[in-house]
Amino acid sequence: MRTDLSINELRQLYLDFFKEREHLIYTSASLDSEDPTLLFTAAGMVQFKPYFLGATPKFAGFDGVWHRVTTAQKCIRINDIENVGRTLRHHSFFEMMGNFSFGDYFKKEAAAWAWEFLTDVLKFDPEKLYVTIYETDDEAFEVWTKHVGIPAEKISRWGEDENFWPANAVSDGPNGPCGPCSEIFYDRGPEFGSEDEVGPNTGSGDRFIEIWNLVFTQSDRQEDGSLIPLPQNNIDTGLGFERLVAVINGVPDAYATNLFQPSIQKVAEVSGVEYKGQESLSHRVIADHIRAVTFSISDGVLPTNDGAGYIVKMLIRRAARHAYLLGIREAMLYTLVDNVIESMGEAYPELEPAKERVAGVIKTEEELFLKTLESGIRRVNTIFSEMDGKELDGAVAFDLWQTYGFPLDITEEMAEEQGITVDRAGYEAASELAKQASKGETSTDSIFAAQKDTLGILAKEHGETEFVGYEETKIKAKAIAIVGKDSDLVEAAKTGDEIIIFLNPTPFYAESGGQVGDAGTIDWDNGQEEGRAIVISTAKSPEGLVKHTAKVIKGSLRTGQGITATVDLRRQEIAKHHTATHLLHESLQQILGNHVGQAGSLVEPERLRFDFTHPKALD
Ligand code: SER
């Protein structure tokens, strides 16, 4: 085996091998995928989908038409995040080497070249290589046995879960280009295996390692589940670079190599905790996550509370927690950007110029999290110690995220350490609710309404609700009444209940004149426990009562309880759009004439619409 190669040489050797076979060496697509169905670019083929379907393969910066392309692609997959650091096979960020044919060469060449690259160029022992094919793909069997010359007993056939790409696409989709695949496995020897591991796709060990996936992209899956032949036969291969680096260097995993060692050594130095291979989970998680975060931010995916940005935030926080577990008490992850660049900067020249920006973003996020980490950890431990059962309420887990910035993932990791599970469905529900609240998508009356006579009684007793939200967005007030789901007044509400709360006074602006109502939170402490409800929307009844539609996500709330009401800052965004409608109105009158009148408007946190009267279309 070619153990003499540096990581950069190995990567280049792959690309040059295919360049010699008339492939264009093309650049990795951004991790910030343009494909709306993906959070991140997750495979080499993502940027080439149109070419499999028959579009002319032309590439920015290169003349001519290229039916053969090769890339080293930056990828992120986070579906098995809890296994990161524990196995050879899981990384959040990884590189996928690939060679692609768009209606040019097919199975014969793809198989023969893969074999040649592994056995001739990298000097893999052919005895240790195994091949899997799709159960009905006799053509692939012929190619491997007759054309490449592999003994039939080295080849095994598997179903669509193992040897179709995307996996299980025949039964479950997605629609679009797909096909049977053939995988090449390397046998690392019994010391890496489990007893039940007798060949590829068997057992639970890490002995037979898939290193290269050759996809024969020949079908187009339709909505009705049928597979029709694509206008052309294509090749999409993916070789896991980290695995290759580990295997070729004869080490258990890539953490032992220079792909990760610079970061790991820095972590060891700063923490004073020596790196000891597989048992040093924290060093490994940090070294893994910092790569994903550095590449994501350099590609423009910043830590946010939604979508791909949420993943970036979660990865930073997971890494920060592991740094904390190693005894590190100050922000330091951001300094690892240098080490990532040391490992990866030559192959990905976009990193170096982004260095300061990336480090700055990480540092800010890290410091924010550190501020809440200790109190959060205390809070989580208290919750665990006071729990009756072994399942944590999903709404409570969501509150840990909202209040302490603990991603579900960290809560689950801490829970697992104590044999506790987290109610994921409940978490999703609370999260969905909060999302709706921040978008103002739910309206009070669509959930349920307080009965008219109830409102009448309340109005008589308490008078109209006083609105103080122009002066204050956070006030102390009293829950003067609670209406439950059956539209009746209730004495108290508990975690999980959807309710209408009446406060007096209130800082929440009620929906009016095209401006959506406020959302926010109501918090209380009844002496025994803290509680919280999320206000989803705010509306006004004809009696002048402000109705706050809310969901209790923690604790229980009794009528008469003193609370703190906090308006979500989205109101500021709404206010800006409100101002903008007036500016727009004035501008239209100045440019088009005083006849321009307002015919309606919609004012939301993210956009405004302004309807106006003017006899002609505008240029
Ligand atoms: N698309 C295939 C994979 O992701 C091969 O590149 O495994």
Side-chain angles (χ1 to χ4, degrees):
M1 218 129 46
R2 288 288 305 275
T3 52
D4 57 314
L5 296 167
S6 75
I7 286 165
N8 287 326
E9 283 165 350
L10 180 59
R11 191 187 289 107
Q12 199 57 44
L13 205 57
Y14 179 98
L15 299 171
D16 288 342
F17 177 85
F18 285 99
K19 185 181 175 187
E20 282 158 22
R21 283 153 190 78
E22 292 159 46
H23 288 64
L24 169 70
I25 301 181
Y26 193 54
T27 33
S28 169
S30 166
L31 282 167
D32 189 4
S33 172
E34 281 171 20
D35 185 332
T37 63
L38 293 173
L39 283 180
F40 290 103
T41 299
M45 52 76 70
V46 172
Q47 63 171 330
F48 302 132
K49 262 193 203 167
Y51 311 134
F52 293 134
L53 293 163
T56 308
K58 289 187 170 184
F59 299 92
F62 298 92
D63 290 335
V65 174
W66 292 84
H67 289 276
R68 300 178 180 190
V69 173
T70 182
T71 56
Q73 173 66 49
K74 308 177 264 194
C75 299
I76 288 186
R77 291 185 190 175
I78 48 111
N79 28 355
D80 280 325
I81 194 85
E82 62 282 356
N83 282 328
V84 167
R86 300 179 201 270
T87 78
L88 159 79
R89 286 169 287 115
H90 298 90
H91 289 290
S92 56
F93 171 92
F94 63 97
E95 289 176 85
M96 190 183 281
M97 308 303 297
N99 52 287
F100 306 89
S101 155
F102 311 122
D104 191 65
Y105 63 86
F106 201 40
K107 297 183 188 179
K108 254 189 189 171
E109 294 85 347
W113 287 338
W115 197 257
E116 184 186 347
F117 182 69
L118 292 177
T119 59
D120 276 9
V121 179
L122 298 183
K123 308 285 183 219
F124 271 70
D125 178 357
E127 289 293 312
K128 295 190 175 166
L129 294 176
Y130 291 76
V131 168
T132 63
I133 58 173
Y134 186 49
E135 52 197 355
T136 56
D137 196 353
D138 296 332
E139 187 187 353
F141 186 78
E142 291 279 301
V143 164
W144 282 117
T145 49
K146 300 233 167 82
H147 186 65
V148 184
I150 296 178
E153 63 271 17
K154 282 293 201 65
I155 302 170
S156 55
R157 294 177 185 248
W158 298 85
E160 59 173 315
D161 52 340
E162 300 288 358
N163 280 91
F164 206 88
W165 210 87
N168 294 312
V170 181
S171 305
D172 304 337
N175 299 331
C178 59
C181 62
S182 179
E183 297 185 328
I184 304 176
F185 283 73
Y186 178 71
D187 177 6
R188 300 203 295 165
E191 66 273 27
F192 289 100
S194 54
E195 291 222 334
D196 50 351
E197 204 177 355
V198 293
N201 299 331
T202 64
S204 52
D206 264 349
R207 172 175 173 177
F208 294 90
I209 287 297
E210 176 215 324
I211 46 179
W212 205 335
N213 184 13
L214 317 180
V215 184
F216 311 130
T217 314
Q218 60 193 40
S219 306
D220 187 4
R221 189 185 193 275
Q222 305 295 297
E223 190 55 43
D224 65 3
S226 60
L227 298 181
I228 58 169
L230 281 166
Q232 59 191 38
N233 283 329
N234 309 284
I235 289 294
D236 152 30
T237 89
L239 174 141
F241 190 62
E242 288 72 13
R243 294 178 190 186
L244 180 68
V245 169
V247 164
I248 211 166
N249 286 294
V251 291
D253 49 56
Y255 294 108
T257 74
N258 280 336
L259 271 182
F260 293 96
Q261 275 298 310
S263 298
I264 288 180
Q265 287 314 324
K266 170 82 80 55
V267 172
E269 189 187 304
V270 175
S271 65
V273 182
E274 198 192 330
Y275 177 65
K276 292 191 185 144
Q278 192 160 14
E279 68 186 80
S280 299
L281 182 66
S282 292
H283 296 75
R284 291 151 71 101
V285 169
I286 295 170
D288 172 277
H289 290 8
I290 195 66
R291 289 204 318 165
V293 165
T294 299
F295 274 96
S296 298
I297 298 173
S298 118
D299 276 351
V301 187
L302 301 180
T304 58
N305 287 340
D306 218 347
Y310 172 74
I311 308 292
V312 175
K313 186 173 215 162
M314 177 198 77
L315 290 169
I316 296 174
R317 293 182 171 214
R318 274 180 60 99
R321 176 177 174 255
H322 278 280
Y324 189 87
L325 287 176
L326 289 173
I328 297 171
R329 293 290 176 268
E330 270 169 25
M332 70 80 63
L333 296 175
Y334 72 97
T335 68
L336 297 174
V337 172
D338 283 335
N339 307 92
V340 174
I341 292 175
E342 187 184 331
S343 296
M344 310 291 289
E346 191 176 319
Y348 298 95
E350 67 269 32
L351 291 180
E352 178 65 40
K355 188 162 100 176
E356 264 155 46
R357 178 171 63 83
V358 173
V361 171
I362 297 175
K363 188 170 185 221
T364 306
E365 188 61 37
E366 206 182 347
E367 282 172 345
L368 266 178
F369 185 52
L370 275 172
K371 260 191 212 149
T372 59
L373 187 64
E374 261 175 75
S375 53
I377 288 178
R378 270 201 304 276
R379 174 92 195 116
V380 174
N381 286 328
T382 314
I383 291 173
F384 287 167
S385 67
E386 288 171 355
M387 272 172 61
D388 291 333
K390 284 280 171 204
E391 189 183 64
L392 181 67
D393 190 319
V396 174
F398 182 71
D399 184 57
L400 285 168
W401 161 242
Q402 271 224 319
T403 314
Y404 298 96
F406 264 56
L408 176 61
D409 214 77
I410 296 185
T411 305
E412 282 187 325
E413 206 164 271
M414 291 180 67
E416 198 192 322
E417 285 158 15
Q418 311 221 17
I420 292 169
T421 57
V422 180
D423 167 23
R424 272 195 174 233
Y427 180 94
E428 296 304 333
S431 155
E432 191 46 41
L433 201 74
K435 238 182 254 164
Q436 286 171 7
S438 74
K439 288 191 192 138
E441 269 173 8
T442 47
S443 90
T444 315
D445 298 326
S446 69
I447 295 186
F448 54 100
Q451 275 168 9
K452 192 133 189 20
D453 52 348
T454 313
L455 293 173
I457 296 165
L458 284 176
K460 236 189 225 145
E461 206 174 313
H462 301 280
E464 286 194 8
T465 315
E466 186 195 351
F467 172 65
V468 296
Y470 287 141
E471 296 82 32
E472 312 265 9
T473 51
K474 181 172 185 161
I475 63 156
K476 291 201 182 311
K478 208 179 197 183
I480 56 171
I482 304 170
V483 169
K485 203 145 195 183
D486 57 6
S487 306
D488 284 333
L489 280 172
V490 292
E491 222 1 77
K494 58 180 188 326
T495 306
D497 287 353
E498 288 176 17
I499 51 175
I500 298 176
I501 306 180
F502 295 87
L503 310 171
N504 208 4
T506 183
F508 289 89
Y509 179 83
E511 177 180 344
S512 152
Q515 176 167 332
V516 299
D518 280 336
T521 50
I522 291 178
D523 293 283
W524 61 91
D525 184 347
N526 64 13
Q528 271 142 24
E529 59 167 8
E530 290 172 10
R532 164 170 278 192
I534 304 174
V535 175
I536 303 159
S537 64
T538 309
K540 206 175 200 165
S541 80
E543 297 81 2
L545 291 166
V546 174
K547 309 183 284 181
H548 310 86
T549 302
K551 178 165 177 161
V552 181
I553 62 159
K554 184 167 66 171
S556 51
L557 176 65
R558 296 196 76 79
T559 304
Q561 172 71 51
I563 56 98
T564 303
T566 313
V567 177
D568 189 280
L569 289 181
R570 78 175 181 151
R571 163 114 71 83
Q572 291 178 359
E573 302 307 309
I574 297 169
K576 286 177 199 164
H577 285 133
H578 183 171
T579 302
T581 59
H582 290 288
L583 296 174
L584 191 54
H585 192 181
E586 173 65 19
S587 310
L588 286 165
Q589 284 186 333
Q590 281 184 17
I591 295 166
L592 303 174
N594 277 334
H595 62 275
V596 172
Q598 175 167 355
S601 75
L602 177 76
V603 180
E604 290 182 345
E606 275 105 29
R607 61 168 188 157
L608 69 88
R609 197 190 66 227
F610 186 74
D611 306 330
F612 61 95
T613 49
H614 180 61
K616 278 200 313 235
L618 302 192
D619 63 19

